[in-house]
Coordinates of all heavy atoms in Angstrom, one line a residue:
M1 N 106.2 107.4 119.2 CA 107.2 108.5 119.3 C 107.4 109.0 117.9 O 107.6 108.3 117.0 CB 108.5 107.9 119.9 CG 108.4 107.3 121.3 SD 108.1 108.5 122.5 CE 109.7 109.2 122.7
V2 N 107.4 110.4 117.9 CA 107.5 111.1 116.6 C 108.7 112.1 116.7 O 108.8 112.8 117.8 CB 106.2 111.8 116.3 CG1 106.4 112.6 115.0 CG2 105.1 110.8 116.1
A3 N 109.5 112.1 115.7 CA 110.6 113.1 115.7 C 110.1 114.3 114.9 O 109.7 114.1 113.7 CB 111.9 112.5 115.1
V4 N 110.0 115.4 115.5 CA 109.5 116.7 114.8 C 110.7 117.6 114.6 O 111.5 117.8 115.5 CB 108.5 117.4 115.7 CG1 108.0 118.6 115.0 CG2 107.3 116.4 115.9
F5 N 110.8 118.1 113.3 CA 111.9 119.0 113.0 C 111.4 120.3 112.5 O 110.5 120.3 111.6 CB 112.8 118.3 111.8 CG 113.3 116.9 112.2 CD1 112.5 115.8 111.8 CD2 114.4 116.8 112.8 CE1 113.0 114.5 112.2 CE2 114.9 115.5 113.2 CZ 114.2 114.4 112.8
R6 N 112.0 121.4 112.9 CA 111.6 122.7 112.4 C 112.8 123.2 111.7 O 113.9 123.3 112.3 CB 111.2 123.7 113.6 CG 110.8 125.0 113.0 CD 110.4 126.0 114.1 NE 111.6 126.3 114.9 CZ 111.5 127.1 115.9 NH1 110.4 127.6 116.4 NH2 112.6 127.4 116.6
Q7 N 112.7 123.6 110.5 CA 113.8 124.1 109.7 C 113.9 125.6 109.7 O 113.0 126.3 110.1 CB 113.7 123.6 108.2 CG 113.7 122.0 108.2 CD 114.3 121.5 107.0 OE1 113.7 121.4 106.0 NE2 115.6 121.1 107.2
E8 N 115.1 126.1 109.3 CA 115.4 127.5 109.3 C 114.4 128.3 108.5 O 114.1 129.5 108.8 CB 116.8 127.8 108.9 CG 117.8 127.4 109.9 CD 119.2 127.7 109.5 OE1 119.4 128.2 108.4 OE2 120.1 127.3 110.3
D9 N 113.9 127.7 107.4 CA 112.9 128.4 106.6 C 111.5 128.4 107.2 O 110.5 128.9 106.5 CB 112.9 127.8 105.2 CG 112.3 126.4 105.1 OD1 111.9 125.8 106.2 OD2 112.3 125.8 104.0
G10 N 111.3 127.9 108.4 CA 110.0 127.9 109.0 C 109.2 126.6 108.7 O 108.1 126.5 109.3
S11 N 109.7 125.8 107.9 CA 108.9 124.5 107.6 C 109.1 123.5 108.7 O 110.1 123.5 109.4 CB 109.3 123.9 106.2 OG 110.7 123.5 106.3
W12 N 108.1 122.7 108.8 CA 108.1 121.6 109.9 C 107.9 120.3 109.2 O 107.2 120.2 108.2 CB 106.9 121.8 110.8 CG 106.9 123.0 111.7 CD1 106.7 124.3 111.3 CD2 107.2 123.1 113.1 NE1 106.8 125.2 112.4 CE2 107.1 124.4 113.4 CE3 107.5 122.1 114.0 CZ2 107.4 124.8 114.8 CZ3 107.8 122.5 115.3 CH2 107.7 123.9 115.7
H13 N 108.6 119.3 109.8 CA 108.5 117.9 109.2 C 108.5 116.9 110.4 O 109.0 117.3 111.5 CB 109.7 117.6 108.3 CG 109.8 118.6 107.2 ND1 109.0 118.6 106.1 CD2 110.7 119.6 107.0 CE1 109.4 119.6 105.3 NE2 110.4 120.2 105.9
A14 N 107.9 115.8 110.2 CA 107.9 114.8 111.3 C 108.0 113.4 110.7 O 107.3 113.1 109.7 CB 106.6 114.9 112.1
I15 N 108.8 112.5 111.3 CA 108.9 111.1 110.9 C 108.9 110.3 112.2 O 109.1 110.8 113.3 CB 110.2 110.9 110.1 CG1 111.5 111.2 110.9 CG2 110.2 111.6 108.7 CD1 112.8 110.8 110.1
D16 N 108.8 109.0 112.0 CA 108.8 108.1 113.1 C 110.2 108.3 113.9 O 111.2 108.4 113.2 CB 108.8 106.6 112.6 CG 108.5 105.6 113.7 OD1 108.9 105.9 114.9 OD2 108.1 104.5 113.4
D17 N 110.1 108.4 115.2 CA 111.4 108.7 115.9 C 112.3 107.5 116.0 O 113.5 107.7 116.1 CB 111.0 109.1 117.4 CG 112.3 109.6 118.1 OD1 113.1 110.3 117.6 OD2 112.4 109.1 119.3
L18 N 111.7 106.3 116.0 CA 112.6 105.1 116.1 C 113.3 104.7 114.8 O 112.6 104.4 113.8 CB 111.7 103.9 116.6 CG 111.2 104.0 118.1 CD1 110.4 102.7 118.4 CD2 112.4 104.2 119.0
C19 N 114.6 104.7 114.9 CA 115.3 104.3 113.7 C 115.0 102.8 113.4 O 115.1 102.0 114.4 CB 116.8 104.5 113.9 SG 117.8 103.9 112.5
P20 N 114.7 102.4 112.2 CA 114.3 101.0 111.9 C 115.5 100.1 112.0 O 115.3 98.8 112.0 CB 113.8 101.1 110.5 CG 114.3 102.4 109.9 CD 114.5 103.3 111.0
H21 N 116.7 100.6 112.1 CA 117.9 99.7 112.3 C 117.9 99.0 113.7 O 117.6 97.9 113.8 CB 119.2 100.5 112.0 CG 120.4 99.6 112.1 ND1 121.6 100.1 112.6 CD2 120.6 98.3 111.8 CE1 122.5 99.1 112.6 NE2 121.9 98.0 112.1
M22 N 118.1 99.8 114.7 CA 118.2 99.3 116.1 C 117.5 100.1 117.1 O 117.7 100.0 118.3 CB 119.6 99.0 116.5 CG 120.3 97.9 115.7 SD 122.0 97.6 116.2 CE 121.7 96.8 117.7
G23 N 116.6 101.1 116.6 CA 115.8 101.8 117.6 C 116.3 103.1 118.2 O 115.7 103.6 119.2
A24 N 117.3 103.6 117.7 CA 117.8 104.9 118.3 C 116.8 106.0 118.0 O 115.9 105.9 117.1 CB 119.1 105.3 117.6
S25 N 116.8 107.1 118.7 CA 116.0 108.2 118.5 C 116.5 109.1 117.4 O 117.5 109.7 117.5 CB 115.9 109.0 119.8 OG 115.2 110.2 119.5
L26 N 115.7 109.2 116.3 CA 116.1 110.0 115.2 C 116.0 111.5 115.6 O 116.7 112.3 114.9 CB 115.3 109.7 113.9 CG 115.6 108.3 113.4 CD1 114.6 108.0 112.2 CD2 117.0 108.1 112.9
A27 N 115.2 111.8 116.5 CA 115.1 113.2 117.0 C 116.5 113.7 117.6 O 116.7 114.9 117.6 CB 114.0 113.4 118.0
E28 N 117.3 112.8 118.0 CA 118.6 113.2 118.5 C 119.7 113.2 117.4 O 120.9 113.4 117.7 CB 119.0 112.2 119.6 CG 118.0 112.3 120.8 CD 118.4 111.3 121.9 OE1 119.5 110.7 121.9 OE2 117.5 111.1 122.8
G29 N 119.3 112.9 116.2 CA 120.3 112.9 115.1 C 120.7 114.3 114.6 O 120.0 115.3 114.9
H30 N 121.7 114.3 113.8 CA 122.2 115.6 113.2 C 121.4 115.8 111.9 O 121.3 114.9 111.1 CB 123.7 115.5 112.9 CG 124.2 116.6 112.2 ND1 124.4 117.8 112.8 CD2 124.6 116.8 110.9 CE1 124.9 118.7 111.9 NE2 125.0 118.1 110.7
V31 N 120.9 117.0 111.8 CA 120.1 117.4 110.6 C 121.0 118.3 109.7 O 121.5 119.3 110.2 CB 118.8 118.1 111.0 CG1 118.1 118.5 109.7 CG2 117.9 117.2 111.8
E32 N 121.0 118.0 108.4 CA 121.7 118.8 107.5 C 120.8 118.9 106.2 O 120.5 117.8 105.6 CB 123.1 118.3 107.1 CG 123.9 119.3 106.3 CD 125.4 118.8 106.3 OE1 125.9 118.2 107.3 OE2 126.0 119.0 105.3
G33 N 120.3 120.0 105.9 CA 119.3 120.1 104.8 C 118.1 119.4 105.2 O 117.5 119.7 106.3
T34 N 117.6 118.4 104.4 CA 116.4 117.7 104.7 C 116.8 116.2 105.1 O 116.0 115.3 105.1 CB 115.4 117.6 103.5 OG1 116.1 117.1 102.4 CG2 114.9 119.0 103.2
T35 N 118.0 116.1 105.6 CA 118.5 114.7 106.0 C 118.8 114.7 107.5 O 119.6 115.6 108.0 CB 119.8 114.3 105.2 OG1 119.5 114.3 103.8 CG2 120.3 113.0 105.6
V36 N 118.3 113.7 108.2 CA 118.7 113.5 109.5 C 119.6 112.2 109.6 O 119.3 111.2 108.9 CB 117.5 113.3 110.5 CG1 116.6 112.1 110.1 CG2 118.0 113.2 112.0
T37 N 120.7 112.3 110.3 CA 121.6 111.1 110.4 C 121.4 110.5 111.8 O 121.5 111.2 112.8 CB 123.1 111.6 110.2 OG1 123.2 112.2 109.0 CG2 124.0 110.4 110.4
C38 N 121.1 109.2 111.8 CA 120.9 108.5 113.1 C 122.2 108.6 114.0 O 123.3 108.4 113.5 CB 120.6 107.0 112.8 SG 120.3 106.1 114.3
P39 N 122.0 108.9 115.3 CA 123.1 109.1 116.1 C 123.9 107.8 116.5 O 125.0 107.9 116.9 CB 122.5 109.7 117.4 CG 121.1 109.3 117.4 CD 120.7 109.2 115.9
W40 N 123.3 106.6 116.2 CA 124.0 105.4 116.6 C 124.9 104.9 115.5 O 126.1 104.6 115.7 CB 123.0 104.4 117.0 CG 122.4 104.6 118.4 CD1 122.7 105.7 119.2 CD2 121.6 103.7 119.1 NE1 121.9 105.6 120.3 CE2 121.3 104.3 120.3 CE3 121.0 102.5 118.8 CZ2 120.4 103.8 121.3 CZ3 120.1 101.9 119.7 CH2 119.9 102.6 121.0
H41 N 124.3 104.7 114.3 CA 125.2 104.0 113.2 C 125.1 104.8 111.9 O 125.4 104.3 110.8 CB 124.7 102.6 113.0 CG 124.5 101.8 114.2 ND1 123.3 101.6 114.8 CD2 125.5 101.3 115.1 CE1 123.5 100.9 115.9 NE2 124.8 100.7 116.1
A42 N 124.6 106.0 112.0 CA 124.7 107.0 110.8 C 123.8 106.6 109.6 O 124.1 107.1 108.5 CB 126.1 107.2 110.4
W43 N 122.8 105.8 109.8 CA 121.8 105.7 108.7 C 121.2 107.1 108.5 O 120.9 107.8 109.5 CB 120.7 104.7 109.0 CG 121.2 103.2 108.9 CD1 122.5 102.8 109.0 CD2 120.4 102.1 108.8 NE1 122.5 101.4 109.0 CE2 121.2 100.9 108.8 CE3 119.0 101.9 108.7 CZ2 120.7 99.6 108.7 CZ3 118.5 100.6 108.6 CH2 119.4 99.5 108.6
R44 N 120.9 107.4 107.2 CA 120.4 108.7 106.9 C 118.9 108.6 106.4 O 118.6 107.8 105.5 CB 121.3 109.4 105.9 CG 122.7 109.5 106.4 CD 123.7 110.1 105.4 NE 123.6 109.3 104.2 CZ 123.4 109.9 103.0 NH1 123.3 111.2 102.9 NH2 123.3 109.2 101.9
F45 N 118.1 109.5 106.9 CA 116.7 109.5 106.5 C 116.3 110.9 106.0 O 116.7 111.9 106.6 CB 115.7 109.1 107.6 CG 116.0 107.7 108.1 CD1 117.0 107.4 109.0 CD2 115.3 106.6 107.5 CE1 117.2 106.1 109.4 CE2 115.6 105.3 107.8 CZ 116.5 105.0 108.8
C46 N 115.4 110.9 105.0 CA 114.8 112.2 104.6 C 113.7 112.6 105.6 O 112.8 111.8 105.9 CB 114.2 112.1 103.2 SG 113.3 113.6 102.6
I47 N 113.8 113.8 106.1 CA 112.8 114.3 107.1 C 111.5 114.7 106.5 O 110.5 114.9 107.2 CB 113.4 115.4 108.1 CG1 113.7 116.7 107.3 CG2 114.6 114.9 108.8 CD1 114.0 117.9 108.1
V48 N 111.5 114.8 105.2 CA 110.3 115.2 104.4 C 109.4 114.1 104.2 O 108.2 114.1 104.4 CB 110.6 116.0 103.1 CG1 109.4 116.3 102.3 CG2 111.5 117.2 103.4
D49 N 109.9 112.9 103.8 CA 109.1 111.8 103.4 C 109.5 110.5 104.1 O 108.9 109.4 103.8 CB 109.0 111.6 101.9 CG 110.3 111.2 101.2 OD1 111.3 111.0 102.0 OD2 110.3 111.2 100.0
G50 N 110.5 110.5 104.9 CA 110.9 109.3 105.7 C 111.7 108.3 104.9 O 112.0 107.2 105.4
T51 N 112.1 108.6 103.7 CA 113.0 107.7 102.9 C 114.3 107.5 103.5 O 115.0 108.4 103.9 CB 113.1 108.3 101.5 OG1 111.9 108.5 100.9 CG2 114.0 107.3 100.6
W52 N 114.7 106.2 103.6 CA 116.1 105.9 104.0 C 116.9 106.2 102.8 O 116.8 105.6 101.7 CB 116.1 104.4 104.3 CG 117.5 103.9 104.7 CD1 118.6 104.6 105.2 CD2 118.0 102.5 104.7 NE1 119.6 103.8 105.4 CE2 119.3 102.5 105.1 CE3 117.4 101.3 104.3 CZ2 120.1 101.4 105.2 CZ3 118.2 100.2 104.4 CH2 119.5 100.2 104.8
E53 N 117.8 107.1 102.9 CA 118.5 107.7 101.8 C 119.6 106.7 101.2 O 120.0 106.9 100.0 CB 119.2 109.0 102.1 CG 118.1 110.0 102.5 CD 118.5 111.5 102.5 OE1 119.7 111.7 102.5 OE2 117.6 112.3 102.5
D54 N 120.0 105.7 101.9 CA 120.9 104.7 101.4 C 120.2 103.6 100.6 O 120.8 102.8 100.0 CB 121.8 104.2 102.5 CG 122.6 105.3 103.1 OD1 123.2 106.1 102.4 OD2 122.6 105.4 104.4
N55 N 118.9 103.5 100.8 CA 118.1 102.5 100.1 C 116.7 103.1 100.0 O 115.8 102.8 100.8 CB 118.1 101.2 100.9 CG 117.3 100.1 100.2 OD1 116.7 100.4 99.2 ND2 117.3 98.9 100.8
P56 N 116.4 103.9 99.0 CA 115.2 104.6 98.9 C 113.9 103.7 98.8 O 112.8 104.2 98.9 CB 115.4 105.4 97.6 CG 116.8 105.5 97.4 CD 117.4 104.3 98.0
R57 N 114.1 102.4 98.6 CA 112.9 101.5 98.6 C 112.3 101.4 100.0 O 111.2 100.9 100.2 CB 113.3 100.2 98.0 CG 113.5 100.2 96.5 CD 113.9 98.8 96.0 NE 115.2 98.5 96.6 CZ 115.7 97.3 96.5 NH1 115.0 96.3 96.0 NH2 116.9 97.0 97.1
V58 N 113.1 101.7 101.0 CA 112.7 101.6 102.4 C 112.3 103.0 103.0 O 113.0 104.0 102.7 CB 113.8 101.0 103.3 CG1 113.4 101.0 104.7 CG2 114.2 99.6 102.8
K59 N 111.2 103.1 103.6 CA 110.7 104.3 104.2 C 110.3 104.1 105.6 O 109.8 103.0 106.0 CB 109.5 104.9 103.5 CG 109.9 105.5 102.1 CD 108.7 106.3 101.5 CE 109.1 107.0 100.3 NZ 108.1 107.8 99.7
T60 N 110.5 105.1 106.5 CA 109.9 105.1 107.8 C 108.7 105.9 107.8 O 108.5 106.7 106.8 CB 111.0 105.5 108.9 OG1 110.4 105.3 110.2 CG2 111.3 107.0 108.7
D61 N 107.8 105.8 108.7 CA 106.5 106.6 108.7 C 106.8 108.0 108.7 O 107.8 108.5 109.4 CB 105.7 106.2 109.8 CG 105.1 104.8 109.7 OD1 105.0 104.3 108.6 OD2 104.8 104.2 110.8
C62 N 106.0 108.8 108.0 CA 106.2 110.2 108.1 C 104.8 110.8 108.4 O 103.7 110.2 108.3 CB 106.8 110.9 106.9 SG 105.8 110.7 105.4
F63 N 104.8 112.0 108.9 CA 103.6 112.7 109.5 C 103.4 114.1 108.9 O 104.4 114.8 108.7 CB 103.7 112.7 111.0 CG 103.8 111.4 111.7 CD1 105.1 110.8 111.7 CD2 102.7 110.7 112.2 CE1 105.3 109.6 112.3 CE2 102.9 109.5 112.8 CZ 104.2 108.9 112.9
E64 N 102.1 114.5 108.8 CA 101.8 115.8 108.4 C 101.9 116.7 109.7 O 101.5 116.2 110.7 CB 100.4 115.8 107.8 CG 99.9 117.2 107.4 CD 98.4 117.1 106.9 OE1 98.1 116.0 106.3 OE2 97.7 118.0 107.1
V65 N 102.4 117.9 109.6 CA 102.6 118.7 110.7 C 101.8 120.0 110.5 O 101.8 120.6 109.5 CB 104.1 119.1 111.0 CG1 104.2 120.0 112.2 CG2 104.9 117.9 111.1
K66 N 101.0 120.4 111.6 CA 100.3 121.6 111.6 C 100.6 122.4 112.9 O 100.6 121.7 113.9 CB 98.8 121.3 111.5 CG 97.9 122.5 111.3 CD 96.5 122.2 110.9 CE 95.6 122.1 112.1 NZ 94.2 121.8 111.8
V67 N 100.9 123.6 112.7 CA 101.2 124.4 113.9 C 100.1 125.5 114.1 O 99.8 126.2 113.2 CB 102.6 125.1 113.8 CG1 102.9 126.0 115.0 CG2 103.7 124.0 113.5
E68 N 99.6 125.5 115.3 CA 98.6 126.6 115.7 C 99.0 127.2 116.9 O 99.0 126.6 118.0 CB 97.2 126.0 115.8 CG 96.6 125.5 114.5 CD 95.2 124.9 114.6 OE1 94.6 124.9 115.8 OE2 94.7 124.4 113.6
G69 N 99.5 128.5 116.9 CA 100.0 129.1 118.1 C 101.2 128.4 118.6 O 102.2 128.1 117.9
D70 N 101.1 128.0 119.9 CA 102.2 127.2 120.5 C 102.1 125.7 120.4 O 102.8 125.0 121.0 CB 102.3 127.6 122.0 CG 102.7 129.1 122.2 OD1 103.3 129.6 121.3 OD2 102.4 129.6 123.3
E71 N 101.0 125.3 119.7 CA 100.8 123.8 119.7 C 101.2 123.3 118.3 O 100.9 123.9 117.3 CB 99.3 123.5 119.9 CG 98.9 123.9 121.4 CD 97.5 123.5 121.7 OE1 96.6 124.2 121.3 OE2 97.4 122.4 122.3
V72 N 101.7 122.1 118.4 CA 102.2 121.4 117.2 C 101.4 120.1 117.1 O 101.3 119.3 118.0 CB 103.7 121.0 117.2 CG1 104.1 120.3 116.0 CG2 104.5 122.3 117.3
F73 N 100.7 119.9 115.9 CA 99.9 118.7 115.7 C 100.5 117.9 114.6 O 101.0 118.4 113.6 CB 98.5 119.1 115.3 CG 97.7 120.0 116.3 CD1 97.8 121.4 116.2 CD2 97.0 119.4 117.3 CE1 97.1 122.1 117.1 CE2 96.3 120.1 118.2 CZ 96.4 121.5 118.1
V74 N 100.5 116.6 114.8 CA 101.0 115.7 113.8 C 100.0 114.6 113.4 O 99.2 114.2 114.3 CB 102.3 115.0 114.2 CG1 103.4 116.0 114.4 CG2 102.1 114.1 115.4
R75 N 99.9 114.3 112.2 CA 98.9 113.3 111.7 C 99.7 112.4 110.7 O 100.3 112.9 109.8 CB 97.7 113.9 111.0 CG 96.7 112.9 110.6 CD 95.5 113.6 110.1 NE 95.8 114.2 108.8 CZ 94.9 115.0 108.1 NH1 93.7 115.2 108.5 NH2 95.3 115.4 106.9
E76 N 99.5 111.1 110.9 CA 100.2 110.1 110.0 C 99.6 110.3 108.6 O 98.4 110.4 108.4 CB 100.0 108.7 110.5 CG 100.8 107.7 109.7 CD 101.0 106.4 110.4 OE1 100.3 106.2 111.4 OE2 101.7 105.6 109.9
I77 N 100.5 110.3 107.6 CA 100.2 110.4 106.2 C 99.9 109.0 105.7 O 100.7 108.0 105.9 CB 101.3 111.0 105.4 CG1 101.5 112.4 105.9 CG2 101.0 110.9 103.9 CD1 102.7 113.1 105.3
E78 N 98.7 108.8 105.1 CA 98.3 107.5 104.6 C 99.2 107.1 103.4 O 99.5 107.9 102.6 CB 96.8 107.6 104.1 CG 95.9 107.9 105.2 CD 95.6 106.8 106.2 OE1 95.7 105.7 105.8 OE2 95.3 107.1 107.4
R79 N 99.6 105.9 103.4 CA 100.4 105.4 102.3 C 99.5 104.7 101.3 O 98.5 104.0 101.7 CB 101.5 104.4 102.8 CG 102.5 105.0 103.6 CD 103.8 104.3 103.5 NE 104.8 105.1 104.2 CZ 105.8 104.5 104.9 NH1 105.9 103.2 104.9 NH2 106.6 105.2 105.5
E80 N 99.8 104.8 100.1 CA 99.0 104.1 99.0 C 99.5 102.7 98.8 O 100.5 102.3 99.0 CB 99.1 105.0 97.7 CG 98.6 106.3 97.9 CD 98.9 107.3 96.8 OE1 99.3 106.8 95.7 OE2 98.7 108.5 96.9
Ligands
FES101 S1 120.1 102.5 115.2 FE1 120.0 104.0 113.7 S2 121.5 103.4 112.3 FE2 121.6 101.9 113.8

């Protein structure tokens, strides 16, 4: 499951949909700027790189997004 976000500037971002805390859907969270807030317990994640904003050493998976016409493609970004 992947949470895909389209921002007002036309940019697209995607991160793992499952919150690493207890599994809520981050796609259902509130987005402000580049931050999504988990709807269950308000952990906050960067939608650009998956960083947990309260503890930046922790990241959830993030994905590269490509849009072609009406189709949206996501590909996992390799971690070093
Ligand atoms: S399930 Fe996301 S913060 Fe608890």
